[in-house]
Amino acid sequence: MAGQRGKMAERRALPERTMLAVEYPGYVVDTAKALRSLGGSKKLARDTTEDVGMPVELRFRYEDPASHPINGEITPTENLLLKVTRRVRRRRPPQTGDGPAPAEEEEAQVRAEVVA
């Protein structure tokens, strides 16, 4: 077995899409409020593209101008974002009149795709 080589995976081009991930220090119930606490989507996009040295500011009380912000860092990475989809098809065999119901039969398909 040591001399055998496995099957090579096919080569694919990586997408030219850039994504932004934010580690938010709390539960996000309303995404609009979470974006507002970060200064809005335009300010967040500007901070992450233009001013790499500037921190991202989070304000828990964004309506209060006297509230102090919590500063966050922008860390560029070269990681891949993988989307995994699992589809399950359940088949129920025909039921007979006597005895317990037969078990369902599952057939699963798993598909992985590089998104960004």
Side-chain angles (χ1 to χ4, degrees):
M1 280 241 167
Q4 294 179 350
R5 290 179 48 161
K7 183 180 174 184
M8 297 289 288
E10 67 180 73
R11 289 180 177 245
R12 293 188 178 188
L14 294 177
E16 294 286 330
R17 185 193 288 179
T18 302
M19 296 201 114
L20 173 70
V22 176
E23 291 185 27
Y24 195 82
Y27 293 110
V28 177
V29 178
D30 186 6
T31 55
K33 284 184 179 180
L35 274 174
R36 244 182 292 154
S37 68
L38 291 167
S41 59
K42 289 182 182 178
K43 183 180 182 306
L44 189 61
R46 186 182 66 233
D47 288 348
T48 56
T49 56
E50 295 173 5
D51 302 326
V52 179
M54 297 295 294
V56 175
E57 293 182 344
L58 168 72
R59 294 180 185 269
F60 285 111
R61 296 186 317 251
Y62 48 85
E63 298 95 4
D64 185 8
S67 70
H68 293 283
I70 299 171
N71 292 334
E73 297 178 1
I74 299 171
T75 309
T77 62
E78 297 290 328
N79 296 338
L80 299 176
L81 179 62
L82 191 67
K83 175 184 175 183
V84 179
T85 308
R86 181 175 178 258
R87 300 179 94 181
V88 177
R89 180 184 295 173
R90 291 189 174 99
R91 295 184 184 173
R92 184 171 286 162
Q95 188 171 358
T96 59
D98 1 316
E104 290 183 356
E105 192 176 305
E106 288 188 1
E107 184 179 317
Q109 290 180 332
V110 178
R111 191 173 139 221
E113 173 186 358
V114 177
V115 178

